[in-house]
């Protein structure tokens, strides 16, 4: 009986000169990519048509305020959809632990945002399901692959998540790698060592 070898994982964990570095590329959903590409084409047509109406002064005076509000909401929706589409195509989360700094970066093609934490203030690193709540703004984006995460920790009075789209084995591998190198308190902030 032949044994199945585990498939290569998409995440990478490495000890570098900069410290522990974990790279987690976005788990691509071709349905989401195709749907958003199609939707963005329609979005662009409507965006240009309404903007053109405003520039030419063709909008009806009694509906101008409504069209302006619609245009604002439509524009924001398009920007969010564009972000989700780009995230699906080339997004990745990068985690770097160096000294006492724990940095999470959400990166799309070299552009991104960093969140930095002090290891001594972090506690209770754990794996939690990526359940969504309609009242939680960030979890509402999980359907599109851009919100939340399955690896969770507390810092101060807030709970933070990363590892969007990780399966349980990948999340366990990441948490184990961090815990092997750094001690994170289970319940209250404490001194950590590497």
């Amino acid at each position: 009986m032949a044994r199945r070898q585990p498939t290569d994982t998409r995440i990478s964990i490495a000890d570098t000169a900069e410290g522990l570095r974990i790279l987690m590329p976005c788990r691509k959903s071709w349905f989401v990519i195709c749907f958003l590409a199609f939707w963005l084409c329609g979005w662009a047509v409507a965006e240009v048509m309404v903007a053109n109406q405003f520039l030419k002064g063709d909008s009806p005076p009694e509906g101008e305020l409504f069209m302006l509000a619609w245009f604002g909401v439509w524009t924001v929706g398009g920007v969010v959809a564009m972000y989700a589409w780009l995230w699906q195509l080339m997004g990745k989360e990068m985690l770097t632990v160096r000294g006492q700094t724990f940095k999470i970066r959400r990166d799309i093609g070299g552009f991104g945002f960093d969140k930095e934490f002090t290891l001594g203030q972090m506690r209770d690193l754990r794996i939690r399901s990526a359940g969504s709540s309609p009242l939680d703004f960030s979890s509402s984006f999980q359907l599109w692959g851009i919100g939340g995460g399955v690896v969770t920790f507390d810092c101060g009075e807030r709970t933070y998540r990363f590892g969007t789209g990780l399966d349980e084995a990948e999340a366990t591998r990441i948490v184990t790698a961090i815990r092997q190198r750094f001690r994170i308190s289970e319940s209250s902030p404490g001194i950590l060592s590497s």
Side-chain angles (χ1 to χ4, degrees):
M1 178 182 270
R3 284 191 151 165
R4 285 184 58 188
Q5 293 296 323
T7 58
D8 289 339
T9 181
R10 63 190 174 88
I11 63 171
S12 66
I13 300 172
D15 288 301
T16 68
E18 293 180 7
L20 176 65
R21 184 177 172 113
I22 301 172
L23 180 64
M24 300 165 276
C26 174
R27 183 177 302 279
K28 290 177 175 41
S29 166
W30 290 105
F31 171 76
V32 171
I33 291 169
C34 293
F35 174 80
L36 287 174
F38 178 75
W39 188 88
L40 283 166
C41 289
W43 171 81
V45 168
E47 187 83 3
V48 169
M49 287 175 56
V50 172
N52 199 21
Q53 257 188 325
F54 275 119
L55 291 174
K56 288 183 177 179
D58 290 344
S59 58
E62 63 277 353
E64 193 167 286
L65 186 59
F66 171 77
M67 281 186 66
L68 188 60
W70 178 88
F71 185 71
V73 171
W74 186 252
T75 301
V76 169
V79 169
V80 170
M82 181 68 74
Y83 176 80
W85 184 68
L86 289 171
W87 177 258
Q88 283 287 319
L89 287 176
M90 58 185 150
K92 60 188 168 204
E93 285 180 283
M94 294 183 289
L95 180 94
T96 307
V97 186
R98 179 179 174 180
Q100 289 295 307
T101 303
F102 186 92
K103 182 170 72 170
I104 301 168
R105 178 176 179 85
R106 294 181 58 84
D107 183 273
I108 298 176
F111 298 97
F113 301 100
D114 296 338
K115 284 186 183 178
E116 286 192 13
F117 304 91
T118 302
L119 281 171
Q121 295 176 342
M122 291 174 58
R123 62 190 188 282
D124 200 14
L125 180 68
R126 61 205 181 270
I127 300 169
R128 287 269 169 96
S129 68
S132 61
S133 165
L135 303 176
D136 182 15
F137 182 73
S138 69
S139 73
S140 62
F141 290 107
Q142 289 178 23
L143 172 67
W144 309 107
I146 59 173
V150 296
V151 181
T152 306
F153 65 91
D154 299 323
C155 190
E157 298 298 317
R158 293 194 57 197
T159 299
Y160 297 90
R161 291 178 171 269
F162 67 91
T164 304
L166 293 178
D167 63 31
E168 188 175 343
E170 291 169 331
T172 299
R173 194 170 152 221
I174 289 169
V175 168
T176 300
I178 295 169
R179 284 184 178 160
Q180 284 176 344
R181 293 160 180 86
F182 306 94
R183 199 187 71 199
I184 296 178
S185 174
E186 291 301 316
S187 59
S188 62
I191 298 173
L192 304 165
S193 61
S194 58

